Every structure is written in structure tokens, then in C-alpha cells.
Amino acid sequence: METNFLIQTLASIVAASSPVVLAAIGETISEKSGVINLSLDGSIALSAMTGFAVAFTTGSVTLGFGAAMAVGALVALLIAFASITLRQEQVAVGFVLTLLCSDLADFLGNPFVRQRGPAAAYVSIPYLSTVPFLGPILFNHSLVVYLSMISVVVAWWWIYKTQPGLKLQGVGERPESAFARGVDVNRLRYLYTVVGGALIGLAGGAYSLSIKLGWSHRHTFGIGWIALAIVIFGGWSPWRVAAGCYLFGILKALGSILQRNPAFAAVPTQIFSSAPFALMIFALLLVHSEGVDRLLALLPPRVARRLDRAIRGRSPGGLGQPFVQE
């Protein structure tokens, strides 16, 4: 009985974490190219609403996911145009778009609030789903959950193991050097910002069509900000970013379990729903605190540098800075 409960809990964590993984990996790709997409929270909300609305209207989950990705890509394109072509402040533009997209999602989504619509089907992977313990945890989900897992592997492989990935790192780290080697910096920044935005849109569709079925006001509230924090927490590394997303999923599951425990019956439910957000922010502050600096100072310099990169990572050198090609 306890084993079945553990398996079900871990499987629900993997499923519930998948939209955060997709959004965080999309933001990682965008920021690796040097563009900050701060519109995540609003973009996810608008994508979730659009995905559900299209699926509800047409009866096609596939079209719903496609519409959600298109919305995410379009919002990211606006970020790219404003920051790359118009050379506006990326953080300011992203924050304004967050508010705009959130309000649009609430306004346009009114007819679809609490409506029942189609949901993504669960697909068990043959043979793998029957593996004891791990099978039901990892291989009995909807396709979007598998896509979230694949996105981590593909993003890591593309960024660190391919020639185009080296160019991606170049335009984010040292755009002037990349341009001197013949790389069209702004074109690649456009490309990767839109690709990252499409993954963010897919994350929104995953919420309304696979994880938190349907649409309601504040349906995805706060998830975009958590994804942004996890990208920093994970040091812009796909594997560590994914680990941060699953840690957030574990914290949310722990909150739900404690909420059902009779020993915590007197504790307000809002505490359990908000605790994972507070704990993730606390972890982010802890990683970047002076205490960690003091501990690293006690170690040999070479070991300290490697451990510092492992714990914190390093933001791309050209992040948030417009580049003028001449």
C-alpha cells in the first residue's frame, strides 16, 4: 500500500513538473542567446487560455497545443523585436507584456471559464511502462510529459555538443567575437528567442490540456516567475534547471500531503499552496548569499571556482545587452 502511494506521488510530481520544465528550458534557450524573456507568467497564462479555447472549440487537442505554442512564439517575437530591433530595455518590455498577456487571458477567456473540454490522452510506452517501480513513474503519462523530458536532453545536447550550439553560446556570451567570426548575432537571437517562446507556449497548453484541465482566472498564476527563478537557480544549465523544476514539484506535492494530514488541520490552506514558492525563493537567495562566498573562500582557488560554477553557474556575458551589427 505504501509502495503504491509512493509510486503515485512520484508519478504525479513528474507530470505536474512538466510545464515548469518546458517553460524553464525555453527561457534557458532564450537567455543563452542573450535575450531575457520576462513575459513568462503572462505568456503562459495566455497560451493556456488559447490552447484550451482552441481545443474546446475544435475538439482537437493537437490544434490546442499548436495554438498555445503559436501564442508563446508570438509574444517572444514581440520581445525580440522590441529588444533587438528597437533596442528597448528587455526587462521593462517583458514586464509590460506580462501584465498585458495576463489581462488578455482573463478577458478573452471569460466564455471558457470552468468549461469541460478535451484533454491530452495518456500514452503508456510499451515494455518500459511495465518496468517495476520506474515504469509507472516515468513511462505512463501524456505526450507532453515525455516532451518535457526530451526537451532537457535535446537542449543540453544542442547547446554543449553541436556546432550551432557553440554559436548560440557565442552570441549570448560574447556577441562581438561571434560577429567577428561571421555569425549573424541578431538573426540567431531572434531564432532562439522564438524557439524558447514556443516551448513556453507549450508549457501553457500543458497546464490547461494535460495537468490542470480547463481554464479559470489565475489558472497558472505565479508559475512563470518560478520558472524564471529556477533558470537562475539552475545556473542556465538544462540539467540543473530541470532538477530545480522537479524540486519545486516535490515541494508542491509535500505541501499537498501535509495539508491532508490531520496534525496540520488548523493550518490555513493558503500556507501550503504558497510555501513552495517561498521555499524556492529562499533557496535562490541562499545559493547567492555571502555565506556561500565565505565557505568557498576556505577552499583552494581551483576547487572553489569549480564548486562555484557547479552551485551557481554563470549568466551569459551578453545577457540583456543589445548588439549593434555594423
Side-chain angles (χ1 to χ4, degrees), residues 182-207:
V183 177
D184 191 333
V185 173
N186 287 336
R187 184 179 67 85
L188 285 184
R189 284 186 168 182
Y190 260 102
L191 173 64
Y192 286 114
T193 303
V194 171
V195 169
L199 285 175
I200 293 167
L202 182 59
Y207 266 105

Side-chain angles (χ1 to χ4, degrees), residues 251-267:
L251 292 174
K252 288 198 71 175
L254 181 61
S256 298
I257 293 171
L258 293 177
Q259 186 176 345
R260 294 194 295 267
N261 192 314
F264 298 94
V267 180

Side-chain angles (χ1 to χ4, degrees), residues 97-146:
L97 281 176
T98 293
L99 300 177
L100 175 62
C101 291
S102 297
D103 288 344
L104 278 176
D106 288 339
F107 176 71
L108 298 176
N110 268 324
F112 305 98
V113 171
R114 305 197 184 283
Q115 297 280 0
R116 289 187 177 182
Y122 275 57
V123 179
S124 296
I125 298 180
Y127 305 111
L128 292 178
S129 61
T130 59
V131 174
F133 192 74
L134 286 179
I137 294 174
L138 298 176
F139 305 112
N140 187 30
H141 296 284
S142 64
L143 286 177
V144 73
V145 178
Y146 303 133

Side-chain angles (χ1 to χ4, degrees), residues 29-165:
I29 292 171
S30 178
E31 293 196 11
K32 274 289 188 180
S33 73
V35 178
I36 304 172
N37 184 352
L38 202 67
S39 69
L40 255 72
D41 207 60
S43 183
I44 290 174
L46 188 58
S47 298
M49 185 281 298
T50 304
F52 177 75
V54 171
F56 177 82
T57 304
T58 65
S60 171
V61 172
T62 302
L63 288 178
F65 277 117
M69 293 180 70
V71 168
L74 179 60
V75 175
L77 183 61
L78 292 175
I79 292 278
F81 177 73
S83 60
I84 297 173
T85 302
L86 301 181
R87 301 174 197 166
Q88 299 299 308
E89 175 59 43
Q90 295 177 14
V91 172
V93 173
F95 187 72
V96 170
L97 281 176
T98 293
L99 300 177
L100 175 62
C101 291
S102 297
D103 288 344
L104 278 176
D106 288 339
F107 176 71
L108 298 176
N110 268 324
F112 305 98
V113 171
R114 305 197 184 283
Q115 297 280 0
R116 289 187 177 182
Y122 275 57
V123 179
S124 296
I125 298 180
Y127 305 111
L128 292 178
S129 61
T130 59
V131 174
F133 192 74
L134 286 179
I137 294 174
L138 298 176
F139 305 112
N140 187 30
H141 296 284
S142 64
L143 286 177
V144 73
V145 178
Y146 303 133
L147 286 175
S148 70
M149 300 177 190
I150 293 171
S151 70
V152 179
V153 179
V154 171
W156 170 81
W157 171 79
W158 183 268
I159 293 171
Y160 296 108
K161 299 297 180 181
T162 68
Q163 190 68 27

Side-chain angles (χ1 to χ4, degrees), residues 2-13 132-137:
E2 291 182 357
T3 302
N4 289 336
F5 175 75
L6 178 61
I7 289 174
Q8 292 174 3
T9 300
L10 292 176
S12 67
I13 289 171
F133 192 74
L134 286 179
I137 294 174

